[in-house]
Amino acid sequence: MSLAIGIIGLAQSGKTTVFNALTGGHSGSVGQRREAAHMGVSHVPEPRLGQLAEIFKPKKIIPAEVKYIDIGASVKSLAQDIAISGELLSHLSSADALINVVRTFPRASIPHPGGTIDAGRDITTMNLELAFSDLAIIERRLKKIEAGLKGIPHAEHHVLDRERDLLTRIKADLEREIPIRQQSLTADETRNIASYQFLSAKLMLVILNLGEEQIDQAKIMETELSDRYAGPGWCITSLCAQLELEMASLDSATAAEFRAGFGLAEPGLERIIRLSYEFLGLVTFFTIVSGEFRAWSVPAGTSALTAAGKIHSDMERGFIRAEVVSCSDLLKSGGLAGARQHGLLRLEGKKYIVQDGDIITFLFNI
Ligand SMILES: Nc1nc2c(ncn2[C@@H]2O[C@H](COP(=O)(O)OP(=O)(O)OP(=O)(O)O)[C@@H](O)[C@H]2O)c(=O)[nH]1
Ligand SMILES: [Mg+2]
């Protein structure tokens, strides 16, 4: 399963433009049916794929993927009306992280729901909307717990009591405007609430959507907002979504020229994709199977057994061992045969922790 990122933001902040630019999609921006979610995939830029391809000469190269979801509705409306929002909310709830698109571009012809352009205010508003959604879930659960406690003997209260106490504590912090990702919860408590898929618990990448004329002020804006809002699981960057979308349709040489004209060093979208990847703590490993050379992303700390299962459940079930060589060792020794000769090819067991850049051949038996 690829990693999924939900795109949220206030009305007309540029969510669909960011989505289209990231995924090369063509979803309608304005005046489209608002209740439909857009989903699309983008490839994780990975320079090592090209370097390794020169050695392996694969028939096909398959980069790792990130799935983006533009839910096309406000988070607040989702929390308020469960009946119409069930499916949209579930898309968002199952995302691994959220991108909050915050408008900074001025354009008089596009009204801002807050009346003026104020990125700080909009970040606060979105934090409140996420908290609002989580509070609605907590309140419903607390009611159920109270009802449940009435129906069972006192001696069996402790499990529900513990859950109620934890949720009550989280609720109090949310009411003090502390998102769950910034609350001090133990690893056990975090695990216990994971199934609620709280929105304010998710990693949050804020993208300031700049106007072309604001590109040279981007760093100052990012720093100022970062000083005000930074905390665990929170990160800020900026992008001129409209410009990136236009560049996405150009060939790479023209796009590079265009970008240089605006003083932009790196393709903004690659930066966003790479950033979300780093932010989520993912590592990349590579496989070559029947001529297909492929990059996979897994959370840092993943075992060889789990990594095998990501490719195919049979590989996990019948796992024997993994043959591993690091990308740099392989490039140094010019190929698998050379790496084997130099003793750089290692045999690893189920518990081996996959390292970024590993090239792995899974040996399995079913
Ligand atoms: N100048 C400028 N305009 C932008 C930029 N990004 C988006 N826009 C414009 O802002 C308007 C809204 O953009 P969308 O991407 O549709 O915004 P949205 O958040 O998806 O809007 P809703 O889904 O309706 O809430 C469109 O007219 C875009 O062309 C930008 O970076 N600069
Ligand atoms: Mg939209």
Side-chain angles (χ1 to χ4, degrees):
M1 227 176 56
S2 56
L3 142 90
I5 299 185
I7 301 177
I8 56 171
L10 300 186
Q12 299 281 286
S13 59
K15 301 178 290 294
T16 304
T17 309
V18 167
F19 171 85
N20 283 338
L22 280 168
T23 59
H26 305 281
S27 297
S29 295
V30 207
Q32 292 273 311
R33 196 166 71 89
R34 300 181 65 87
E35 290 81 22
H38 305 135
M39 296 205 212
V41 162
S42 72
H43 292 145
V44 180
E46 174 52 81
R48 291 173 296 188
L49 266 180
Q51 295 171 333
L52 290 165
E54 283 181 20
I55 293 180
F56 288 112
K57 307 261 186 275
K59 279 195 282 209
K60 197 169 168 194
I61 301 175
I62 309 173
E65 290 181 339
V66 184
K67 185 165 100 184
Y68 291 96
I69 309 150
D70 170 16
I71 59 155
S74 87
V75 173
K76 196 169 177 189
S77 73
L78 296 187
Q80 275 165 339
D81 193 340
I82 299 295
I84 57 157
S85 66
E87 194 189 335
L88 293 179
L89 187 59
S90 80
H91 283 312
L92 209 53
S93 305
S94 62
D96 299 292
L98 299 176
I99 283 181
N100 177 13
V101 179
V102 175
R103 170 175 172 183
T104 65
F105 68 87
R107 205 156 107 193
S109 59
I110 301 169
H112 189 295
T116 52
I117 306 290
D118 181 343
R121 176 203 58 205
D122 294 352
I123 292 174
T124 303
T125 303
M126 189 48 69
N127 284 346
L128 291 175
E129 289 194 10
L130 297 178
F132 183 78
S133 164
D134 292 345
L135 282 169
I137 294 171
I138 292 178
E139 274 153 21
R140 279 197 299 274
R141 179 64 194 151
L142 284 174
K143 270 194 199 131
K144 276 210 180 116
I145 292 178
E146 289 306 332
L149 284 169
K150 287 191 189 122
I152 56 174
H154 205 266
E156 292 167 25
H157 278 199
H158 58 282
V159 177
L160 285 179
D161 275 345
R162 215 178 314 133
E163 188 185 349
R164 181 191 53 198
D165 293 347
L166 175 59
L167 290 178
T168 307
R169 212 172 75 219
I170 292 173
K171 177 169 176 267
D173 275 351
L174 277 172
E175 284 163 348
R176 283 205 297 271
E177 298 185 16
I178 306 172
I180 297 176
R181 87 182 88 80
Q182 291 177 8
Q183 295 183 11
S184 37
L185 299 172
T186 64
D188 265 353
E189 288 169 341
T190 304
R191 213 170 311 118
N192 288 342
I193 60 162
S195 63
Y196 291 112
Q197 301 184 306
F198 289 125
L199 297 181
S200 79
K202 293 185 189 299
L203 298 170
M204 161 81 80
L205 173 63
V206 171
I207 297 184
L208 300 178
N209 188 10
L210 308 169
E212 293 165 14
E213 63 287 7
Q214 296 173 316
I215 290 169
D216 55 354
Q217 303 150 46
K219 279 284 158 272
I220 300 172
M221 290 196 225
E222 285 174 25
T223 310
E224 195 231 321
L225 291 164
S226 179
D227 288 346
R228 254 160 81 190
Y229 292 94
W234 192 94
C235 172
I236 190 164
T237 187
S238 59
L239 188 74
C240 182
Q242 186 79 38
L243 209 60
E244 293 294 341
L245 185 58
E246 284 163 26
M247 282 191 277
S249 62
L250 303 175
D251 65 75
S252 56
T254 320
E257 217 174 285
F258 199 68
R259 192 169 295 117
F262 282 101
L264 293 163
E266 185 193 10
L269 299 173
E270 284 187 19
R271 185 164 43 87
I272 302 287
I273 295 169
R274 190 169 38 76
L275 205 74
S276 15
Y277 202 75
E278 283 167 12
F279 187 48
L280 286 159
L282 300 171
V283 296
T284 304
F285 74 91
F286 305 93
T287 56
I288 176 141
V289 180
S290 20
E292 282 189 1
F293 189 55
R294 183 159 182 170
W296 303 84
S297 39
V298 287
T302 296
S303 68
L305 186 67
T306 309
K310 193 170 161 69
I311 300 170
H312 201 290
S313 54
D314 281 350
M315 279 198 183
E316 183 170 359
R317 219 160 0 105
F319 185 98
I320 303 170
R321 60 182 176 269
E323 229 179 32
V324 185
V325 58
S326 74
C327 173
S328 53
D329 281 348
L330 189 105
L331 290 171
K332 252 190 309 198
S333 42
L336 276 177
R340 190 171 279 123
Q341 247 172 27
H342 291 103
L344 296 170
L345 212 61
R346 289 168 280 131
L347 286 178
E348 303 283 2
K350 288 179 183 179
K351 289 192 183 144
Y352 170 72
I353 299 298
V354 173
Q355 303 295 310
D356 184 54
D358 278 351
I359 298 152
I360 308 184
T361 310
F362 292 103
L363 307 173
F364 66 106
N365 182 11
I366 43 160

